[in-house]
Amino acid sequence: MKKDFYLTRYALIIKRLENSPATYSQLKEYLLNSFEFQDAGIKSYSIRTLQRDIREISNLFNLSIHNKKKGDNRYYIESRPIMEVDEYNQKLLESFQVSNALNVHPNFSNFIFFETRKSTGAENFYDLFFAIRNKRVITFEYYNYKNKLMTARKVHPLALKESKDRWYLIASDTNDKVLKSFGLDRIHYLDVNKTKFKEKYKYNFREHFKNAFGVMNLAEQNPERIVLKCSKHQGEYIKSFPLHQSQKEIKENPNETFFEFFLHPTYDFMQEILSYGKEVTVLEPKSLVDDIQAHLQESLNAYLNCT
């Protein structure tokens, strides 16, 4: 069996067992009939390989798979990880499935098309992760889009946050002791110092970002109830890909769908709503309605000035 195929096997086993328990024979049939196995030319899957895969799945994904039910020889997932680990697992599985498709077919450029984009700064990801875990002071040069200047920064790194396919470093700036976010794509000349910082920060970032949209909510703010009215067509897209974990559908009629959110009405969220144009309207709170109206009026004025 191909040595570089193990991650794909793990993803397929988890996918099958998340659907329902299965015997070794059922798992073997499922795997061998999968397009992944067919494309790789794999025609066998032994019980020893399954047992080894189960051990590795437990180590890698924190998923416990057993087949010790009384009178039942089916394998099943005994335990589910906590939410944050489950999110990590989903990311890993998605990455494995995509990377395997690309590895099996080197000529994928004729079939798969990625968005053209510049570097996201992921080359610094592990160094930052190491610095956070070991409480190392870091220094770097940071590019500011507003003033188009590079500035020297010295920070205490605390967390990494993903938002809209970008990664951000959350850190305390040693200059003013303020919590800030730094886009990894704008960090240059990163240096992880040997010096450790001694400050004991008490931020609970999972709670901190629970009611945030993006990474803009680094100050203490109170989340608000936000109500959106969407066209029926756009509402279906928002149902299938929620804007935020607090999203709830509260009403529906033949032409419109209404959603409720509980979050901070940040600039990031306003930009997201504006991207839907006339398909989405904010009904509450009034402060957000006023902000969007003012923004739309400024945009209209800018176009009127072009004539």
Side-chain angles (χ1 to χ4, degrees), residues 44-238:
S44 64
Y45 185 70
S46 69
I47 185 68
R48 289 185 62 185
T49 303
L50 172 61
Q51 292 167 347
R52 184 170 61 247
D53 286 349
I54 287 173
R55 290 195 297 271
E56 292 304 317
I57 287 171
S58 176
N59 293 332
L60 185 60
F61 295 99
N62 194 31
L63 286 174
S64 182
I65 298 175
H66 293 283
N67 68 332
K68 296 182 179 179
K69 288 183 177 179
K70 285 187 177 181
D72 192 345
N73 65 347
R74 295 181 300 170
Y75 292 87
Y76 63 97
I77 296 177
E78 183 180 57
S79 62
R80 297 294 305 172
I82 56 177
M83 183 185 296
E84 54 264 41
V85 177
D86 208 20
E87 293 171 358
Y88 158 80
N89 288 345
Q90 188 60 39
K91 289 286 186 183
L92 274 183
L93 288 172
E94 290 175 358
S95 297
F96 295 162
Q97 289 163 342
V98 172
S99 63
N100 178 66
L102 304 187
N103 287 330
V104 171
H105 296 285
N107 60 338
F108 65 84
S109 60
N110 293 325
F111 316 107
I112 300 173
F113 302 92
F114 295 97
E115 287 189 15
T116 302
R117 62 180 62 168
K118 60 178 287 188
S119 170
T120 61
E123 65 272 13
N124 289 324
F125 189 95
Y126 195 87
D127 289 358
L128 292 169
F129 181 49
F130 175 87
I132 291 167
R133 289 188 297 112
N134 293 281
K135 295 186 176 182
R136 296 284 190 88
V137 176
I138 62 172
T139 57
F140 53 86
E141 296 285 319
Y142 192 68
Y143 183 74
N144 188 302
Y145 284 139
K146 189 173 183 179
N147 57 31
K148 297 183 178 180
L149 293 176
M150 293 278 282
T151 55
R153 304 297 183 110
K154 183 179 181 181
V155 305
H156 296 170
L158 303 176
L160 289 161
K161 175 74 167 65
E162 184 188 23
S163 178
K164 292 186 177 181
D165 296 322
R166 291 176 184 262
W167 280 97
Y168 295 84
L169 168 68
I170 311 302
S172 176
D173 194 320
T174 60
N175 183 47
D176 53 18
K177 310 300 181 184
V178 173
L179 193 64
K180 299 176 181 178
S181 63
F182 302 93
L184 265 60
D185 58 315
R186 289 180 276 160
I187 290 177
H188 303 274
Y189 311 113
L190 173 68
D191 182 41
V192 178
N193 302 172
K194 292 183 178 180
T195 305
K196 293 190 174 184
F197 57 88
K198 298 180 180 179
E199 286 80 355
K200 295 183 179 180
Y201 297 98
K202 297 181 180 180
Y203 297 108
N204 183 333
F205 287 109
R206 179 156 291 277
E207 287 297 315
H208 193 80
F209 288 112
K210 183 173 68 175
N211 298 115
F213 188 90
V215 293
M216 300 303 291
N217 179 48
L218 295 180
E220 293 299 326
Q221 301 173 7
N222 293 320
E224 298 184 52
R225 179 176 183 264
I226 297 173
V227 178
L228 304 183
K229 178 180 72 174
C230 308
S231 67
K232 188 72 172 179
H233 174 74
Q234 190 61 56
E236 293 301 319
Y237 283 99
I238 293 177

Side-chain angles (χ1 to χ4, degrees), residues 264-281:
H264 306 278
T266 59
Y267 182 76
D268 277 10
F269 186 70
M270 185 176 76
Q271 290 293 97
E272 181 70 19
I273 298 306
L274 287 168
S275 71
Y276 293 105
K278 66 178 183 179
E279 301 295 318
V280 175
T281 304

